[in-house]
Amino acid sequence: MNIYLLFLIALVPVAWLMISLGVLKIPAHKACPLGLLVTIFLSILVWNMDFGSAILVSIEGVVLGLWPIMIVIIAAIFTYNLALYTKSMDIMKLMLSSISRDKRIQVLILAWGFGGFLEAVAGYGTAVAIPASILISLGFDPIFAAVICLIANTVPTAFGAVGIPVSTLANVTGLDVNLLSYYVGLQLTIFIIIIPIVLVVITTKSIKGLKGVFGISLASGISFAIPQLLCAKYLGAELPALLGSICSLGMIILWAKVFLKKEDDFESEYSVGETGSSITVNRITIKEGILAWIPYILVFTFIIFTSPLFPNINEYLSHFKTSIVIYEGKTVFKWISTPGTLIILAGFIGGLIQGAKIKEIIKVFLSTLKQLYKSTITVVSIVALAKVMGYSGMITSLAIVLVKTTGKFFPLISPIIGALGTFITGSDTSSNVLFGALQNEVAKSIDVNAYWLTAANTSGATAGKMISPQSIAIATSATGMIGSEGKIFNKTLKFCAAYVVILGILVYIVSLFI
């Protein structure tokens, strides 16, 4: 069959997701299963995949969607729901308000700094689910909370989950991980500096909203970008996002307390809630504060100490796993050393320390499962769809035509391919697996620096994260806005488009000189 016809047919599942969510406003838990059925049908009819294989591939996708992806979403929302039940969220809100009642600063702290940290150490949706749920508790609109966290959770995903996306890209291409990390860091630097400023503008719906906070916005980006870039160049892929997010979060809090201290003396037009008075906040003791944050302190502790940063512990816990082959690839269930399990354990232990009974904690957990059944349908459907497209050859058909029609101008669309991979799979890592080798081979064929072009796949994939149905499903689950996926998709799409266009121009121009 003609390659261009195959290209158009392979676009059908992607087009269906975009139209059903963005135009027809069909809820994701209905649109994604329909998209999966269409994809299975096309894989059998056009790409000659036999029915049994298509079903097995779909089952492999469903299993992957449940573990480790969906378990992380469940864990994050369970921890938040338990914080509401134990009333510790009230204290957390007061403490955050004590830093600043200005919603612009709170967005920078939670969506950007804290979200970046969660992406760096855990990934799998935690950077959207947890900050968005806390923002809502502070009085933010649920749709806004979802959108702002999706936009913030872009650049940190390149080095998220302790560098897994870039490490995976290096493995599938055979490129040196340190140099690849450095080029990814270079490509993302300008976006890291700009995005906090964009977040403030979105928060206030006006560029005038930067008045009084431009300095802290700029500083939060620079303090993230420089440590990340230096770490990527000299240490590799594991630590850049972690170091960058911690430096940025520290900078935001320090700047807010030192340079914006006078803002606490009055109620500005950008303040939220009525819980920020110094009289109320001063009643919170250090013990009460630690007790309120203990589940999230445990999340941090468990994830850090079981990560590859501590190889002995990581290696020991990695033995607690089950491996099965459903189709061709081996599906591995890591029962302990996976973010979902660790967050659930942190939630249970934290709840007990806060005084909740085991029976009460289990009740909250079960209610969380019931709350997320629509999100579960969405996530497992979209991951299964991605698996079918990958195994059948549909994604290859898309890539071949894009390469053939662009030639020397391929670097312009290189980030778009990375974004497409994330849109389909919901994962920067998966996008690198799908298209990383392709980008490397194209670079050689058109005589472009292979490291630079291959890095563009990861950089572009960070843009696709904000419009991925999987990411949006996580956001709607965290904000209680299940059914509003289309509205959120439409709001993030324009930012994603601007992101990949600017990145594409940057990648193309630099590719002419290196």
Side-chain angles (χ1 to χ4, degrees):
M1 188 179 290
N2 184 279
I3 60 171
Y4 294 101
L5 182 57
L6 282 175
F7 173 81
L8 292 174
I9 298 173
L11 274 178
V12 170
V14 179
W16 164 251
L17 290 175
M18 298 185 77
I19 293 170
S20 61
L21 294 174
V23 179
L24 301 178
K25 305 294 191 300
I26 298 175
H29 70 279
K30 295 180 180 179
C32 292
L34 287 174
L36 173 60
L37 292 176
V38 170
T39 306
I40 292 172
F41 175 76
L42 292 176
S43 71
I44 296 170
L45 184 66
V46 181
W47 279 268
N48 300 318
M49 196 177 208
D50 64 85
F51 179 78
S53 295
I55 297 302
L56 285 175
V57 169
S58 300
I59 293 172
E60 185 176 299
V62 168
V63 171
L64 179 62
L66 289 172
W67 196 285
I69 297 170
M70 197 62 213
I71 190 67
V72 171
I73 304 172
I74 292 169
I77 305 305
F78 160 67
T79 305
Y80 170 72
N81 286 343
L82 192 58
L84 291 177
Y85 182 83
T86 61
K87 307 297 183 184
S88 63
M89 185 57 67
D90 292 338
I91 297 175
M92 292 164 63
K93 286 161 57 178
L94 290 172
M95 293 178 70
L96 288 168
S97 297
S98 73
I99 298 173
S100 176
R101 295 194 303 271
D102 192 317
K103 63 183 180 181
R104 299 169 296 179
I105 307 303
Q106 292 178 348
V107 162
L108 290 176
I109 291 172
L110 289 166
W112 178 249
F114 187 47
F117 166 77
L118 288 172
E119 181 61 40
V121 297
Y124 296 109
T126 54
V128 173
I130 293 176
S133 58
I134 297 176
L135 282 172
I136 290 175
S137 73
L138 290 171
F140 287 84
D141 174 74
I143 293 290
F144 167 82
V147 170
I148 207 74
C149 288
L150 284 168
I151 295 173
N153 186 41
T154 48
V155 286
T157 62
F159 295 103
V162 200
I164 289 175
V166 177
S167 299
T168 302
L169 183 61
N171 288 333
V172 300
T173 58
L175 298 175
D176 178 72
V177 68
N178 280 37
L179 186 54
L180 193 58
S181 297
Y182 178 53
Y183 278 151
V184 171
L186 278 176
Q187 291 175 6
L188 293 177
T189 294
I190 187 173
F191 295 94
I192 296 173
I193 294 172
I194 291 174
I195 285 178
I197 297 172
V198 172
L199 296 178
V200 171
V201 173
I202 296 172
T203 301
T204 60
K205 300 180 181 178
S206 171
I207 198 168
K208 294 179 181 178
L210 287 169
K211 182 179 179 181
V213 295
F214 179 77
I216 190 174
S217 303
L218 184 62
S220 68
I222 293 174
S223 60
F224 196 127
I226 293 177
Q228 171 164 295
L229 184 59
L230 292 174
C231 189
K233 182 175 183 178
Y234 296 108
L235 297 178
E238 287 82 7
L239 294 175
L242 179 61
L243 182 61
S245 62
I246 290 175
C247 290
S248 182
L249 187 57
M251 173 64 76
I252 296 167
I253 295 173
L254 180 64
W255 191 296
K257 297 302 289 184
V258 174
F259 297 106
L260 303 179
K261 192 174 181 181
K262 291 182 180 179
E263 293 293 325
D264 289 336
D265 297 332
F266 64 93
E267 196 78 17
S268 75
E269 62 178 307
Y270 298 120
S271 64
V272 291
E274 299 178 356
T275 58
S277 68
S278 57
I279 295 174
T280 306
V281 173
N282 288 337
R283 292 176 182 170
I284 299 175
T285 64
I286 294 177
K287 180 181 177 180
E288 289 172 334
I290 293 175
L291 196 63
W293 282 93
I294 194 67
Y296 294 104
I297 293 172
L298 291 174
V299 167
F300 168 81
T301 304
F302 289 174
I303 290 176
I304 285 291
F305 282 97
T306 59
S307 75
L309 298 176
F310 294 86
N312 292 335
I313 299 175
N314 179 266
E315 185 178 348
Y316 174 75
L317 293 178
S318 67
H319 290 115
F320 297 92
K321 64 182 179 181
T322 302
S323 300
I324 59 173
V325 177
I326 299 175
Y327 183 58
E328 291 182 359
K330 183 182 289 186
T331 302
V332 180
F333 297 90
K334 293 183 178 180
W335 300 115
I336 299 178
S337 59
T338 188
T341 303
L342 296 172
I343 295 170
I344 289 174
L345 284 173
F348 263 91
I349 296 171
L352 290 172
I353 293 173
Q354 291 172 341
K357 298 178 181 178
I358 293 179
K359 183 178 180 181
E360 295 172 326
I361 296 174
I362 293 174
K363 183 179 179 181
V364 172
F365 183 77
L366 293 176
S367 68
T368 302
L369 293 178
K370 184 178 179 181
Q371 173 188 347
L372 296 177
Y373 82 94
K374 290 182 179 178
S375 298
T376 303
I377 294 171
T378 299
V379 170
V380 299
S381 298
I382 197 65
V383 177
L385 182 152
K387 283 286 185 179
V388 175
M389 288 190 72
Y391 277 121
S392 67
M394 295 173 75
I395 290 176
T396 302
S397 296
L398 290 172
I400 287 173
V401 171
L402 289 173
V403 173
K404 188 177 181 65
T405 54
T406 55
K408 286 283 186 179
F409 293 99
F410 180 82
L412 278 170
I413 69 158
S414 177
I416 297 176
I417 291 178
L420 178 64
T422 312
F423 172 79
I424 295 170
T425 66
S427 165
D428 198 319
T429 302
S430 297
S431 179
N432 288 338
V433 171
L434 289 173
F435 296 132
L438 169 75
Q439 303 263 16
N440 189 34
E441 290 303 315
V442 172
K444 296 174 183 176
S445 66
I446 63 175
D447 196 26
V448 169
N449 185 295
Y451 281 93
W452 183 253
L453 197 62
T454 305
N457 194 82
T458 290
S459 301
T462 64
K465 191 76 174 176
M466 72 177 92
I467 60 168
S468 166
Q470 181 180 306
S471 298
I472 293 174
I474 294 170
T476 55
S477 302
T479 57
M481 296 302 292
I482 296 171
S484 300
E485 292 84 4
K487 184 181 292 187
I488 294 171
F489 174 80
N490 285 335
K491 287 180 178 293
T492 56
L493 181 60
K494 56 187 177 184
F495 294 103
C496 178
Y499 192 126
V500 293
V501 167
I502 295 170
L503 181 58
I505 294 171
L506 172 68
V507 170
Y508 175 70
I509 292 174
V510 176
S511 71
L512 298 175
F513 300 99
I514 64 171

